[in-house]
């Protein structure tokens, strides 16, 4: 039997792709300043144009409040607790609905992806309901759920459900079959084992994308949902502000919605890059 | 032949020019028993149209907020709405309050079998209301305050004025406050009973609460003072008609707005909506109302509603 | 030194029972138009424990089909395959497989990949130990915490080999494992594979298109005919390791195999090769 020393040894780094680990780490640690820079610049530009419009057109505050007025109102609402409380309420509504969507939608997506029968039966139903906007469900939501939290959560559920299901189906279907074979030859002896150890992790990036998109659509629907006899939330803040012609409150609400939307989305992106 | 054709052409051109000179005036209205509908049905507006060569068009809104948005955008030039939206518009938009056209109009309601007997019993209960921008909100706050309660002692749910009755009868809320005809509709059908009416809570014009207001854009008033005067005159005449001949008024409203006759009858008989020829938005009344709105956080400290009592005073004197 | 014997059947001179018996196995597929493709026809091969068998053949000769059946991903239309006397009942960890496209799990680190097959039988610490040992054996100990996407093709395949060998299977099936790699990397990996195999004698069934690779690695080469696939040539290669590609014996052996293959290749090209089926 030939022994080790007969085989010529070659350096291990044959074909090593990355040139250095420093380069790789450097890419990930772009500072917050670098990432946020463009956004701050954009904000400043908007504020400048806005202020110019105020000076040039001199509109009543109800139609277009000045940037300084909006900023003052923003800080007022922030300090009084109105803004954080309403933001928290809206955020928790969306989060709860989104979790329900995930709990229902991911297993459903898995089922559709793996069973032809299920796909033939369930898929047409999904395609029929998908185009119906969450807003169209509002009257029924009031009838069925009354004015409590469940009505609003129902609306957000409608908004969040479909991206999760569809992305789960896609993710599972596109799992490379050779990975499944590898799993089988490495001891995954039954369906559940193969599913949890190979199929699900392989599909996870897609599923996470679905969840990220879904949170976004849910967040966008929060205004509509909070027209369902709400007495709290950012959507309520906006509707209420409009009623008393406080456009500054309306804009504060809009800004809060925008900021939270961006923050949540970037948290998702961070998570995704850690996992995938 | 040539000159004939020329004459015909120029005649048509002039005719077209004359037709284009007719100004369209948009008036915002709501599906309620507002006097402006009487002015239309009784032909008072037609007279103004003929005399001043204008064309009135009604734009209907389900409540005051979108109506004010339309006013702000210039889509409507005059508006008839609840006093809440009327005052807010007069304070924060380039608009002026011209008249108070309906008094009272508001009640706090509970279910007939409810064990809520006084306002104090509303503690920890759920109340449906049409939002902070409505004229019902300050009234509710005052009623609660008189009973020793604050907004935090109850659970308010904002909804559409027209939905309050439904939510009450289905048991989704314990009490509701809204405006006529939704109040009368619920009361007349027996689906609700009045806990307390607005006149007893906050009488700021005589013994009455202020219900509905009529207001217009400042630039419109300045450009068409005679038309403005004529419209206010028509409102006084309408109020007179309602007081002198309620049956006819009820017929007119039923036809124009579609509210059932028996609801309107109930409203007038029971004094839910009160009409008067004294539609002047006098300073004292407005100041009282403004103060309440500021206390309730609807208006900001520096907001001052712009009122013009001259038109209403002239109309009352003439009538 | 070594003469390649041209026999159609390997002589039964060994004492122990064959590890794998392939007994008159045939396999037919149905194509989309309702026709039948005969991939394998009555193939019989006995493989002994510790043999390094390389199967070469033209496209469509059924070698991948055979490997899939050995792996348990498919079953014969007729005939039987037994491993250690037992019929095959689906994939099993005892018949490990190395794939041409590596099939590393991208969500796991290199070390977690290698540990994958050990998790059911070992504690986490013990699994990690075994995995590290194998990673170091293939020379990639430093890359334990990296993710597969940062590795080159050659490195990925070394991880895959470590992953399969770590589970200590009886049989290792290799489906053109070096086919996607450049010639230099290929050479290196062939040497690595032999090094490992020399220390951990497994039964290996290896498929390739490359005659040179076959002669370099195999101690037994099987040449398949064109479709329908049957055994054309089955001979031992007794050249001592390390084998020199340039040596006369190596060349001779290659020539013999090439000639046998050329016959079959000619048949392949005379057939309508647009049937869309590879072997």
């Amino acid at each position: 039997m030939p022994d080790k020393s007969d085989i010529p040894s070659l350096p291990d780094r044959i074909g090593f792709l990355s040139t250095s680990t420093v380069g790789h780490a450097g890419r990930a640690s772009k500072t917050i300043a670098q990432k946020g820079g463009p956004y701050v610049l954009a904000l400043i530009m908007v504020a400048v144009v806005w202020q110019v419009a105020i000076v040039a057109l001199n509109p009543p505050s109800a139609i277009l409040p000045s940037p300084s007025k909006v900023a003052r109102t923003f800080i007022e609402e922030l300090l009084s607790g109105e803004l954080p409380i309403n933001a928290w309420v809206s955020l928790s509504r969306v989060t709860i609905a989104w979790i329900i969507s995930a709990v229902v939608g991911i297993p459903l997506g898995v089922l559709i992806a793996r069973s032809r029968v299920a796909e033939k039966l369930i898929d047409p139903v999904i395609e029929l309901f998908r185009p119906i906007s969450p807003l169209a469900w509002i009257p029924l939501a009031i009838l069925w759920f009354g004015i409590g939290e469940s009505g609003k959560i129902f609306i957000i559920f409608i908004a969040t459900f479909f991206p999760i299901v569809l992305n789960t189906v896609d993710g599972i279907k596109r799992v490379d079959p050779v990975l499944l074979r590898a799993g089988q030859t490495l001891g995954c002896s039954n369906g559940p084992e193969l599913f949890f150890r190979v199929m699900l992790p392989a599909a996870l990036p897609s599923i996470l994308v679905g969840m990220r998109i879904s949170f976004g659509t849910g967040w966008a629907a929060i205004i509509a949902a909070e027209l369902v006899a709400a007495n709290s939330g950012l959507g309520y803040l906006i509707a209420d502000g409009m009623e008393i012609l406080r456009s500054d409150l309306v804009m504060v609400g809009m800004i809060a919605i925008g900021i939270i939307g961006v923050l949540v989305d970037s948290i998702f992106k961070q998570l995704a890059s850690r996992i995938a | 032949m040539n000159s004939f054709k020329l004459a015909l052409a120029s005649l048509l051109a002039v005719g077209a020019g004359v037709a284009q000179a007719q100004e369209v005036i948009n008036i915002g209205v709501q599906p309620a028993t507002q006097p402006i509908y009487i002015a239309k049905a009784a032909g008072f507006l037609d007279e103004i149209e003929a005399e001043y060569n204008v064309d009135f068009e009604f734009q209907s809104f389900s409540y005051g907020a979108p109506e004010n948005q339309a006013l702000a955008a210039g889509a409507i030039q005059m508006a008839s709405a609840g006093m809440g939206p009327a005052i807010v518009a007069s304070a924060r938009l380039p608009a002026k309050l011209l008249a108070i056209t309906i008094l009272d109009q508001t009640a706090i309601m509970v279910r007939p079998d409810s064990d809520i007997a006084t306002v104090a019993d509303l503690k920890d209960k759920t109340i449906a209301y049409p939002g902070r921008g409505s004229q019902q909100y300050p009234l509710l706050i005052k009623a609660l305050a008189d009973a020793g309660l604050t907004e935090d002692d109850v659970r308010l749910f904002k909804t559409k004025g027209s939905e309050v009755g439904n939510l009450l009868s289905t048991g989704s809320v314990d009490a509701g406050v809204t405006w006529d005809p939704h109040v009368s509709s619920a009361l007349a059908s027996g689906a609700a009973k009045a806990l307390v009416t607005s006149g007893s809570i906050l009488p700021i014009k005589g013994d009455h609460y202020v219900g509905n207001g009529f207001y217009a854009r400042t630039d419109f008033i300045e450009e068409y003072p005679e038309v403005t005067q004529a419209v206010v005159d028509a409102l006084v005449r309408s109020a007179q008609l309602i007081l002198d001949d309620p049956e006819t008024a009820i017929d007119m409203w039923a036809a124009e707005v579609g509210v059932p006759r028996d609801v309107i009858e109930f409203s007038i008989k029971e004094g839910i909506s009160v009409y008067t020829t004294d539609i002047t938005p006098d300073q004292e009344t407005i100041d009282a109302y403004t103060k309440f709105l500021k206390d309730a956080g609807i208006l900001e400290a520096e907001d001052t509603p712009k009122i013009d009592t001259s038109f209403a005073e002239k109309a009352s004197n003439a009538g | 030194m070594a003469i390649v014997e041209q026999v159609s059947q390997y002589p039964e001179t060994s004492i122990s029972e064959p590890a794998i018996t392939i007994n008159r196995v045939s396999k037919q597929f149905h194509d989309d138009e309702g026709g039948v493709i005969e991939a394998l026809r009555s193939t019989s091969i006995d493989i002994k424990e510790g043999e390094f068998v390389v199967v070469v053949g033209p496209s469509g000769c059924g070698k991948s089909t055979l490997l899939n059946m050995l792996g348990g991903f498919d079953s014969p239309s007729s005939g039987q395959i037994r491993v250690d006397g037992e019929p095959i009942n689906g994939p099993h960890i005892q018949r490990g497989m190395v794939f041409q496209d590596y099939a590393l799990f991208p969500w796991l680190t290199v070390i977690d990949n290698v540990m994958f097959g050990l998790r059911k039988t070992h504690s986490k610490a013990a699994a990690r130990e075994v995995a590290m040992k194998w990673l170091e054996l293939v020379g990639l100990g430093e890359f334990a915490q990296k993710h597969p996407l940062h590795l080159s093709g050659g490195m990925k395949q070394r991880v895959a080999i470590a992953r399969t060998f770590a589970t200590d299977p009886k049989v290792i099936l290799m489906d053109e494992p070096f086919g996607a790699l450049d010639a230099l990397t290929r050479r290196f990996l062939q040497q690595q594979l032999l090094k490992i195999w020399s220390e951990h004698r497994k039964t290996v069934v290896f498929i390739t298109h490359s005659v040179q690779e076959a002669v370099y690695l195999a101690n037994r080469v099987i040449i398949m005919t064109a479709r329908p696939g049957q055994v054309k040539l089955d001979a031992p290669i007794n050249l001592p390791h390390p084998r020199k590609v340039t040596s006369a014996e190596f060349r001779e052996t290659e020539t013999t195999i090439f000639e046998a293959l050329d016959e079959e290749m000619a048949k392949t090209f005379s057939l309508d090769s647009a049937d869309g089926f590879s072997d």
Side-chain angles (χ1 to χ4, degrees), chain A residues 108 112 122-131 161-162 165-166:
Chain A
L108 189 67
I112 294 175
I122 303 177
D123 200 50
V125 176
I126 291 186
E127 288 305 309
L128 268 177
F129 279 97
R130 188 159 66 98
F161 182 69
F162 296 101
V165 175
L166 294 175

Side-chain angles (χ1 to χ4, degrees), chain B residues 64-247:
Chain B
E67 194 170 348
N68 278 346
Q69 287 167 16
L71 191 77
I76 57 176
Q77 287 76 39
M78 312 183 96
S80 169
M83 276 303 288
I87 286 291
V88 167
S90 314
R92 301 179 56 77
L93 291 179
K96 282 189 182 170
L97 182 65
L98 297 170
I100 301 175
T101 47
I102 310 180
L103 300 173
D104 286 324
Q105 253 215 329
T106 299
I108 302 178
M109 308 184 290
V110 295
R111 276 184 297 283
D113 56 348
S114 171
D115 52 3
I116 301 172
T118 66
V119 176
D121 293 336
L122 287 173
K123 186 163 161 53
D124 296 329
K125 298 280 189 282
T126 51
I127 308 175
Y129 80 120
R132 291 200 306 146
S134 66
Q135 94 235 55
Q136 285 70 34
Y137 177 69
L139 189 83
L140 183 63
I141 299 301
K142 173 75 165 53
L144 290 172
D146 286 345
L149 301 171
T150 69
E151 201 176 325
D152 297 326
D153 292 320
V154 297
R155 284 168 39 217
L156 295 179
F157 277 96
K158 174 173 142 53
T159 183
K160 290 191 154 183
S162 48
E163 276 293 312
V164 170
N166 285 341
L167 293 173
L168 185 63
S169 54
T170 57
S172 303
V173 292
D174 302 312
V177 58
T178 184
W179 61 78
D180 239 6
H182 310 300
V183 171
S184 297
S185 181
L187 295 178
S189 68
K193 69 172 192 230
L195 185 65
V196 63
T197 55
S198 46
S200 50
I201 305 171
L202 192 49
I204 50 178
K205 188 169 167 84
D207 295 328
H208 302 282
Y209 186 54
V210 290
N212 226 281
F214 194 83
Y215 49 113
R217 285 183 64 99
T218 311
D219 52 15
F220 174 81
I221 298 172
E222 281 168 8
E223 202 183 329
Y224 295 90
E226 302 102 354
V227 176
T228 307
Q229 184 64 60
V231 172
V232 176
D233 289 343
L235 288 173
V236 173
R237 289 166 70 191
S238 303
Q240 193 67 61
L241 192 156
I242 297 166
L243 292 171
D244 291 341
D245 188 1
E247 287 301 312

Side-chain angles (χ1 to χ4, degrees), chain C:
Chain C
M1 281 184 95
I3 309 293
V4 175
E5 299 162 350
Q6 291 206 23
V7 294
S8 58
Q9 200 67 23
Y10 191 71
E12 294 277 312
T13 51
S14 40
I15 314 140
S16 52
E17 272 297 305
I20 306 176
T21 40
I22 301 168
N23 189 14
R24 287 195 290 218
V25 163
S26 303
K27 181 68 183 175
Q28 294 100 35
F29 292 105
H30 297 275
D31 67 15
D32 295 328
E33 287 111 39
V36 173
I37 311 280
E38 204 185 348
L40 281 174
R41 179 186 291 176
S42 197
T43 303
S44 297
I45 305 171
D46 285 345
I47 300 178
K48 299 234 167 324
E49 206 174 308
E51 285 196 294
F52 196 126
V53 179
V54 176
V55 182
V56 282
S59 234
C61 70
K63 54 193 195 289
S64 273
T65 308
L66 192 60
L67 204 74
N68 278 340
M69 290 196 285
L70 283 170
F73 299 115
D74 211 346
S75 44
S77 307
S78 67
Q80 217 186 38
I81 304 180
R82 285 177 185 271
V83 175
D84 274 352
E86 297 297 319
I88 293 185
N89 227 354
H92 197 277
I93 199 169
Q94 281 298 322
R95 283 170 276 118
M97 198 152 179
V98 178
F99 304 88
Q100 186 175 52
D101 37 8
Y102 327 122
L104 293 182
F105 302 124
W107 61 90
L108 295 177
T109 57
V110 161
I111 185 78
D112 286 333
N113 261 283
V114 180
M115 281 163 68
F116 190 90
L118 302 166
R119 297 304 305 276
K120 282 168 82 170
T121 46
H122 294 64
S123 73
K124 193 160 180 190
R128 180 167 277 266
E129 219 185 292
V130 173
M132 265 319 278
K133 185 193 92 181
W134 278 99
L135 259 188
E136 271 153 16
L137 206 63
V138 298
L140 292 177
E142 284 171 47
F143 295 88
Q145 293 305 324
K146 291 252 177 284
H147 279 270
L149 77 101
H150 299 129
L151 306 181
S152 67
M155 295 165 84
K156 285 189 207 170
Q157 198 59 294
R158 282 149 76 188
V159 174
I161 288 172
R163 180 174 71 173
T164 301
F165 271 85
T167 61
D168 197 28
K170 294 205 66 133
V171 177
I172 298 196
L173 308 165
M174 305 184 84
D175 188 356
E176 298 190 59
F178 308 138
L181 304 170
D182 64 87
L184 292 176
T185 314
R186 227 179 154 143
R187 233 171 106 68
F188 175 60
L189 285 176
Q190 287 163 357
Q191 289 158 2
Q192 285 246 296
L193 181 61
L194 280 178
K195 182 176 97 170
I196 298 171
W197 179 71
S198 67
E199 293 169 31
H200 302 82
R201 255 336 245 254
K202 305 280 178 201
T203 311
V204 176
V205 182
F206 188 112
I207 292 188
T208 183
H209 275 119
S210 162
V211 175
Q212 183 185 84
E213 187 166 62
V215 177
Y216 190 77
L217 295 173
N219 61 13
R220 176 175 168 193
V221 66
I222 295 179
I223 303 173
M224 304 289 290
T225 64
R227 182 176 301 147
Q230 292 174 287
V231 174
K232 183 185 177 78
L233 184 69
D234 182 354
I237 300 183
N238 294 323
L239 301 170
H241 289 289
R243 296 176 182 171
K244 281 207 157 8
V245 171
T246 46
S247 74
E249 296 91 351
F250 198 101
R251 290 265 165 82
E252 249 182 77
T253 316
E254 272 188 311
T255 310
T256 316
I257 298 176
F258 269 123
E259 280 170 1
L261 273 179
D262 282 345
E263 265 179 44
E264 296 309 310
M265 292 297 287
K267 289 190 198 156
T268 310
F269 284 116
S270 72
L271 293 169
D272 180 17
S273 52
D275 58 14
F277 271 87
S278 66
D279 58 331

Side-chain angles (χ1 to χ4, degrees), chain A residues 185-233:
Chain A
T185 57
L186 289 166
C188 292
S189 47
N190 58 49
E193 233 192 298
L194 195 62
F195 175 75
F196 284 105
R197 292 190 74 195
V198 181
M199 194 172 249
L200 198 57
L204 203 60
S206 254
I207 296 178
L208 286 179
V209 165
M211 292 189 73
R212 174 166 73 90
I213 293 176
S214 146
F215 198 95
T217 53
W219 187 243
I222 191 62
I223 310 237
E226 284 175 358
L227 294 177
V228 181
N231 58 354
S232 58

Side-chain angles (χ1 to χ4, degrees), chain A residues 107-121:
Chain A
L108 189 67
V110 171
L111 181 67
I112 294 175
R114 305 202 56 198
S115 157
R116 285 274 167 80
V117 172
E119 188 176 12
K120 285 213 166 83
L121 284 175

